[in-house]
mmCIF file with all atom_site columns, all heavy atoms in Angstrom:
data_model
loop_
_atom_site.group_PDB
_atom_site.id
_atom_site.type_symbol
_atom_site.label_atom_id
_atom_site.label_alt_id
_atom_site.label_comp_id
_atom_site.label_asym_id
_atom_site.label_entity_id
_atom_site.label_seq_id
_atom_site.pdbx_PDB_ins_code
_atom_site.Cartn_x
_atom_site.Cartn_y
_atom_site.Cartn_z
_atom_site.occupancy
_atom_site.B_iso_or_equiv
_atom_site.pdbx_formal_charge
_atom_site.auth_seq_id
_atom_site.auth_comp_id
_atom_site.auth_asym_id
_atom_site.auth_atom_id
_atom_site.pdbx_PDB_model_num
ATOM 1   N N   . VAL B 1 43 ? -19.242 -3.981 -1.164 1.00 93.00 ? 282 VAL B N   1
ATOM 2   C CA  . VAL B 1 43 ? -18.301 -4.013 -0.040 1.00 93.00 ? 282 VAL B CA  1
ATOM 3   C C   . VAL B 1 43 ? -17.671 -2.638 0.149  1.00 93.00 ? 282 VAL B C   1
ATOM 4   O O   . VAL B 1 43 ? -17.547 -2.133 1.276  1.00 93.00 ? 282 VAL B O   1
ATOM 5   C CB  . VAL B 1 43 ? -17.203 -5.075 -0.278 1.00 93.00 ? 282 VAL B CB  1
ATOM 6   C CG1 . VAL B 1 43 ? -16.048 -4.889 0.694  1.00 93.00 ? 282 VAL B CG1 1
ATOM 7   C CG2 . VAL B 1 43 ? -17.783 -6.464 -0.135 1.00 93.00 ? 282 VAL B CG2 1
ATOM 8   N N   . MET B 1 44 ? -17.283 -2.012 -0.978 1.00 93.00 ? 283 MET B N   1
ATOM 9   C CA  . MET B 1 44 ? -16.631 -0.717 -0.869 1.00 93.00 ? 283 MET B CA  1
ATOM 10  C C   . MET B 1 44 ? -17.608 0.361  -0.395 1.00 93.00 ? 283 MET B C   1
ATOM 11  O O   . MET B 1 44 ? -17.232 1.259  0.355  1.00 93.00 ? 283 MET B O   1
ATOM 12  C CB  . MET B 1 44 ? -16.020 -0.309 -2.217 1.00 93.00 ? 283 MET B CB  1
ATOM 13  C CG  . MET B 1 44 ? -14.819 -1.135 -2.612 1.00 93.00 ? 283 MET B CG  1
ATOM 14  S SD  . MET B 1 44 ? -13.740 -1.587 -1.259 1.00 93.00 ? 283 MET B SD  1
ATOM 15  C CE  . MET B 1 44 ? -12.275 -0.703 -1.643 1.00 93.00 ? 283 MET B CE  1
ATOM 16  N N   . VAL B 1 45 ? -18.857 0.281  -0.834 1.00 93.00 ? 284 VAL B N   1
ATOM 17  C CA  . VAL B 1 45 ? -19.843 1.275  -0.399 1.00 93.00 ? 284 VAL B CA  1
ATOM 18  C C   . VAL B 1 45 ? -20.114 1.114  1.097  1.00 93.00 ? 284 VAL B C   1
ATOM 19  O O   . VAL B 1 45 ? -20.101 2.087  1.855  1.00 93.00 ? 284 VAL B O   1
ATOM 20  C CB  . VAL B 1 45 ? -21.149 1.148  -1.212 1.00 93.00 ? 284 VAL B CB  1
ATOM 21  C CG1 . VAL B 1 45 ? -22.264 1.951  -0.559 1.00 93.00 ? 284 VAL B CG1 1
ATOM 22  C CG2 . VAL B 1 45 ? -20.924 1.617  -2.642 1.00 93.00 ? 284 VAL B CG2 1
ATOM 23  N N   . LEU B 1 46 ? -20.322 -0.148 1.526  1.00 93.00 ? 285 LEU B N   1
ATOM 24  C CA  . LEU B 1 46 ? -20.647 -0.397 2.927  1.00 93.00 ? 285 LEU B CA  1
ATOM 25  C C   . LEU B 1 46 ? -19.435 -0.191 3.841  1.00 93.00 ? 285 LEU B C   1
ATOM 26  O O   . LEU B 1 46 ? -19.577 0.238  4.979  1.00 93.00 ? 285 LEU B O   1
ATOM 27  C CB  . LEU B 1 46 ? -21.182 -1.824 3.106  1.00 93.00 ? 285 LEU B CB  1
ATOM 28  C CG  . LEU B 1 46 ? -22.575 -2.081 2.550  1.00 93.00 ? 285 LEU B CG  1
ATOM 29  C CD1 . LEU B 1 46 ? -22.975 -3.530 2.770  1.00 93.00 ? 285 LEU B CD1 1
ATOM 30  C CD2 . LEU B 1 46 ? -23.591 -1.153 3.213  1.00 93.00 ? 285 LEU B CD2 1
ATOM 31  N N   . GLY B 1 47 ? -18.247 -0.525 3.337  1.00 91.00 ? 286 GLY B N   1
ATOM 32  C CA  . GLY B 1 47 ? -17.070 -0.475 4.193  1.00 91.00 ? 286 GLY B CA  1
ATOM 33  C C   . GLY B 1 47 ? -16.308 0.832  4.101  1.00 91.00 ? 286 GLY B C   1
ATOM 34  O O   . GLY B 1 47 ? -15.441 1.108  4.918  1.00 91.00 ? 286 GLY B O   1
ATOM 35  N N   . MET B 1 48 ? -16.595 1.641  3.067  1.00 92.00 ? 287 MET B N   1
ATOM 36  C CA  . MET B 1 48 ? -15.809 2.846  2.858  1.00 92.00 ? 287 MET B CA  1
ATOM 37  C C   . MET B 1 48 ? -16.695 4.086  2.837  1.00 92.00 ? 287 MET B C   1
ATOM 38  O O   . MET B 1 48 ? -16.474 5.027  3.577  1.00 92.00 ? 287 MET B O   1
ATOM 39  C CB  . MET B 1 48 ? -15.077 2.706  1.517  1.00 92.00 ? 287 MET B CB  1
ATOM 40  C CG  . MET B 1 48 ? -13.877 3.570  1.368  1.00 92.00 ? 287 MET B CG  1
ATOM 41  S SD  . MET B 1 48 ? -12.860 2.992  -0.006 1.00 92.00 ? 287 MET B SD  1
ATOM 42  C CE  . MET B 1 48 ? -13.761 3.624  -1.393 1.00 92.00 ? 287 MET B CE  1
ATOM 43  N N   . LEU B 1 49 ? -17.721 4.054  1.991  1.00 94.00 ? 288 LEU B N   1
ATOM 44  C CA  . LEU B 1 49 ? -18.537 5.254  1.811  1.00 94.00 ? 288 LEU B CA  1
ATOM 45  C C   . LEU B 1 49 ? -19.432 5.516  3.018  1.00 94.00 ? 288 LEU B C   1
ATOM 46  O O   . LEU B 1 49 ? -19.456 6.630  3.557  1.00 94.00 ? 288 LEU B O   1
ATOM 47  C CB  . LEU B 1 49 ? -19.378 5.109  0.530  1.00 94.00 ? 288 LEU B CB  1
ATOM 48  C CG  . LEU B 1 49 ? -20.032 6.385  0.017  1.00 94.00 ? 288 LEU B CG  1
ATOM 49  C CD1 . LEU B 1 49 ? -18.965 7.415  -0.310 1.00 94.00 ? 288 LEU B CD1 1
ATOM 50  C CD2 . LEU B 1 49 ? -20.869 6.091  -1.222 1.00 94.00 ? 288 LEU B CD2 1
ATOM 51  N N   . VAL B 1 50 ? -20.169 4.480  3.457  1.00 95.00 ? 289 VAL B N   1
ATOM 52  C CA  . VAL B 1 50 ? -21.086 4.654  4.591  1.00 95.00 ? 289 VAL B CA  1
ATOM 53  C C   . VAL B 1 50 ? -20.346 5.092  5.854  1.00 95.00 ? 289 VAL B C   1
ATOM 54  O O   . VAL B 1 50 ? -20.718 6.093  6.480  1.00 95.00 ? 289 VAL B O   1
ATOM 55  C CB  . VAL B 1 50 ? -21.903 3.357  4.834  1.00 95.00 ? 289 VAL B CB  1
ATOM 56  C CG1 . VAL B 1 50 ? -22.712 3.476  6.115  1.00 95.00 ? 289 VAL B CG1 1
ATOM 57  C CG2 . VAL B 1 50 ? -22.796 3.067  3.644  1.00 95.00 ? 289 VAL B CG2 1
ATOM 58  N N   . PRO B 1 51 ? -19.240 4.387  6.221  1.00 94.00 ? 290 PRO B N   1
ATOM 59  C CA  . PRO B 1 51 ? -18.510 4.842  7.402  1.00 94.00 ? 290 PRO B CA  1
ATOM 60  C C   . PRO B 1 51 ? -18.016 6.271  7.254  1.00 94.00 ? 290 PRO B C   1
ATOM 61  O O   . PRO B 1 51 ? -18.048 7.046  8.207  1.00 94.00 ? 290 PRO B O   1
ATOM 62  C CB  . PRO B 1 51 ? -17.320 3.883  7.490  1.00 94.00 ? 290 PRO B CB  1
ATOM 63  C CG  . PRO B 1 51 ? -17.667 2.736  6.661  1.00 94.00 ? 290 PRO B CG  1
ATOM 64  C CD  . PRO B 1 51 ? -18.642 3.189  5.641  1.00 94.00 ? 290 PRO B CD  1
ATOM 65  N N   . PHE B 1 52 ? -17.603 6.622  6.029  1.00 94.00 ? 291 PHE B N   1
ATOM 66  C CA  . PHE B 1 52 ? -17.081 7.964  5.816  1.00 94.00 ? 291 PHE B CA  1
ATOM 67  C C   . PHE B 1 52 ? -18.175 9.013  6.025  1.00 94.00 ? 291 PHE B C   1
ATOM 68  O O   . PHE B 1 52 ? -17.931 10.054 6.637  1.00 94.00 ? 291 PHE B O   1
ATOM 69  C CB  . PHE B 1 52 ? -16.486 8.074  4.412  1.00 94.00 ? 291 PHE B CB  1
ATOM 70  C CG  . PHE B 1 52 ? -15.811 9.382  4.163  1.00 94.00 ? 291 PHE B CG  1
ATOM 71  C CD1 . PHE B 1 52 ? -14.607 9.676  4.784  1.00 94.00 ? 291 PHE B CD1 1
ATOM 72  C CD2 . PHE B 1 52 ? -16.393 10.339 3.345  1.00 94.00 ? 291 PHE B CD2 1
ATOM 73  C CE1 . PHE B 1 52 ? -13.987 10.884 4.574  1.00 94.00 ? 291 PHE B CE1 1
ATOM 74  C CE2 . PHE B 1 52 ? -15.779 11.546 3.132  1.00 94.00 ? 291 PHE B CE2 1
ATOM 75  C CZ  . PHE B 1 52 ? -14.575 11.832 3.750  1.00 94.00 ? 291 PHE B CZ  1
ATOM 76  N N   . LEU B 1 53 ? -19.384 8.714  5.536  1.00 95.00 ? 292 LEU B N   1
ATOM 77  C CA  . LEU B 1 53 ? -20.494 9.652  5.715  1.00 95.00 ? 292 LEU B CA  1
ATOM 78  C C   . LEU B 1 53 ? -20.821 9.825  7.198  1.00 95.00 ? 292 LEU B C   1
ATOM 79  O O   . LEU B 1 53 ? -21.105 10.941 7.658  1.00 95.00 ? 292 LEU B O   1
ATOM 80  C CB  . LEU B 1 53 ? -21.725 9.176  4.940  1.00 95.00 ? 292 LEU B CB  1
ATOM 81  C CG  . LEU B 1 53 ? -21.555 9.224  3.415  1.00 95.00 ? 292 LEU B CG  1
ATOM 82  C CD1 . LEU B 1 53 ? -22.797 8.678  2.713  1.00 95.00 ? 292 LEU B CD1 1
ATOM 83  C CD2 . LEU B 1 53 ? -21.258 10.639 2.947  1.00 95.00 ? 292 LEU B CD2 1
ATOM 84  N N   . ILE B 1 54 ? -20.777 8.712  7.945  1.00 94.00 ? 293 ILE B N   1
ATOM 85  C CA  . ILE B 1 54 ? -21.042 8.806  9.380  1.00 94.00 ? 293 ILE B CA  1
ATOM 86  C C   . ILE B 1 54 ? -19.947 9.617  10.071 1.00 94.00 ? 293 ILE B C   1
ATOM 87  O O   . ILE B 1 54 ? -20.211 10.400 10.989 1.00 94.00 ? 293 ILE B O   1
ATOM 88  C CB  . ILE B 1 54 ? -21.171 7.399  9.996  1.00 94.00 ? 293 ILE B CB  1
ATOM 89  C CG1 . ILE B 1 54 ? -22.393 6.708  9.402  1.00 94.00 ? 293 ILE B CG1 1
ATOM 90  C CG2 . ILE B 1 54 ? -21.267 7.462  11.512 1.00 94.00 ? 293 ILE B CG2 1
ATOM 91  C CD1 . ILE B 1 54 ? -22.637 5.326  9.904  1.00 94.00 ? 293 ILE B CD1 1
ATOM 92  N N   . LEU B 1 55 ? -18.705 9.442  9.572  1.00 95.00 ? 294 LEU B N   1
ATOM 93  C CA  . LEU B 1 55 ? -17.592 10.224 10.114 1.00 95.00 ? 294 LEU B CA  1
ATOM 94  C C   . LEU B 1 55 ? -17.841 11.714 9.894  1.00 95.00 ? 294 LEU B C   1
ATOM 95  O O   . LEU B 1 55 ? -17.613 12.534 10.788 1.00 95.00 ? 294 LEU B O   1
ATOM 96  C CB  . LEU B 1 55 ? -16.290 9.799  9.434  1.00 95.00 ? 294 LEU B CB  1
ATOM 97  C CG  . LEU B 1 55 ? -14.988 10.303 10.060 1.00 95.00 ? 294 LEU B CG  1
ATOM 98  C CD1 . LEU B 1 55 ? -14.710 9.593  11.368 1.00 95.00 ? 294 LEU B CD1 1
ATOM 99  C CD2 . LEU B 1 55 ? -13.821 10.116 9.101  1.00 95.00 ? 294 LEU B CD2 1
ATOM 100 N N   . VAL B 1 56 ? -18.322 12.051 8.679  1.00 95.00 ? 295 VAL B N   1
ATOM 101 C CA  . VAL B 1 56 ? -18.638 13.453 8.383  1.00 95.00 ? 295 VAL B CA  1
ATOM 102 C C   . VAL B 1 56 ? -19.715 13.952 9.338  1.00 95.00 ? 295 VAL B C   1
ATOM 103 O O   . VAL B 1 56 ? -19.598 15.032 9.932  1.00 95.00 ? 295 VAL B O   1
ATOM 104 C CB  . VAL B 1 56 ? -19.102 13.613 6.920  1.00 95.00 ? 295 VAL B CB  1
ATOM 105 C CG1 . VAL B 1 56 ? -19.597 15.032 6.678  1.00 95.00 ? 295 VAL B CG1 1
ATOM 106 C CG2 . VAL B 1 56 ? -17.970 13.282 5.961  1.00 95.00 ? 295 VAL B CG2 1
ATOM 107 N N   . ALA B 1 57 ? -20.760 13.147 9.527  1.00 94.00 ? 296 ALA B N   1
ATOM 108 C CA  . ALA B 1 57 ? -21.845 13.543 10.429 1.00 94.00 ? 296 ALA B CA  1
ATOM 109 C C   . ALA B 1 57 ? -21.311 13.754 11.835 1.00 94.00 ? 296 ALA B C   1
ATOM 110 O O   . ALA B 1 57 ? -21.610 14.764 12.488 1.00 94.00 ? 296 ALA B O   1
ATOM 111 C CB  . ALA B 1 57 ? -22.933 12.472 10.421 1.00 94.00 ? 296 ALA B CB  1
#
Side-chain angles (χ1 to χ4, degrees):
Chain B
V282 166
M283 290 323 246
V284 167
L285 289 179
M287 201 164 78
L288 194 61
V289 172
F291 186 71
L292 292 178
I293 295 180
L294 192 72
V295 173

